[in-house]
Amino acid sequence: MNVDFCARIKLDGDSPIPLYSQIMESLRKAVECGQLRPLEKLPSEREMAESLNVNRLTVRQAIGELVSDGVLMRRRGLGTYVARQKVEQGLNKLTSFTEDMISRGFIPATKLLELQIVPADKRVSQALGMSLDEPVIAIERLRLADVEPMALEMSHLPAARFPGFLLRNKELAYKSLYEILRVYYRVTPTVAMETLEARLATVKEAALLKIHYGSPVLQRERVTLDHEDTPMEFVRSLYRADRYKFMVRMGK
Ligand code: GLP
């Protein structure tokens, strides 16, 4: 975006609507109608203030609100950019990350962070209907779309049900977990119960997801059942709140 764009923003000094709010709405509309494109850089606050003939603090306030709304993003030391559009994820269908990304035209990728057999803790054993300390396969993966980190997933599967799973470590780096379960174990995820809640990223999570420590993330937990209604997977997925919004269709 160059400063000429600011010349097109018409501000009304007599309006009861504060100037920062008028600037904010003009920028928001420009993003919505595609006049300003995702990842486009905005002029500096000083340049915008000069071009709009307003105080720099007025511009700062407008930009600050749009950053909080997720319309713009600040990159430390680099400036302000138009944020990318969020991935809209439906919650009505049991899908895999791989399917979700492919259906949106992204190239899914996985970084396998951990694969081991561990004793089930209280939460995992309850979710999977197992006894405490029974062996479970713990799989931690960073999920990427077009090389960008989108989610961090920790899945637990009952170890007795998936013998030899640890040998699949190489495949897990490029294949869908659900595909591996279907192809090698003839187990199909059929039903899932999920919860969704917001929290802040820890230092480790933020580093992996390439967001700032303390940024908001959306935590989704899923207990997946097979075609016989037996729990086969417990997953905690952590999605970047700046990249995801969830959508659900409901009827009465
Ligand atoms: C989504 C779900 C997870 C599930 C995963 C499987 O991300 N939130 O609960 O484990 O998909 O994805 P894939 O089969 O691509 O590995």
Side-chain angles (χ1 to χ4, degrees), residues 94-151:
L94 206 181
T95 54
S96 72
F97 179 84
T98 306
E99 290 170 319
D100 291 338
M101 292 304 114
I102 291 175
S103 70
R104 287 175 178 81
F106 293 124
I107 299 172
T110 299
K111 190 169 176 207
L112 183 61
L113 303 171
E114 181 195 317
L115 175 63
Q116 55 176 332
I117 296 191
V118 296
D121 64 16
K122 195 166 165 230
R123 180 78 188 92
V124 172
S125 57
Q126 272 173 355
L128 291 175
M130 302 168 71
S131 314
L132 196 66
D133 291 339
E134 260 192 83
V136 284
I137 303 159
I139 314 163
E140 189 178 21
R141 296 179 297 166
L142 179 68
R143 316 302 308 263
L144 306 102
D146 289 349
V147 212
E148 190 199 0
M150 302 291 274

Side-chain angles (χ1 to χ4, degrees), residues 190-218:
T190 309
V191 179
M193 277 89 64
E194 291 206 345
T195 57
L196 182 61
E197 59 194 305
R199 67 172 175 83
L200 304 179
T202 64
V203 175
K204 180 192 160 198
E205 292 162 351
L208 287 165
L209 289 169
K210 294 216 174 105
I211 51 180
H212 293 303
Y213 159 59
S215 300
V217 282
L218 296 160

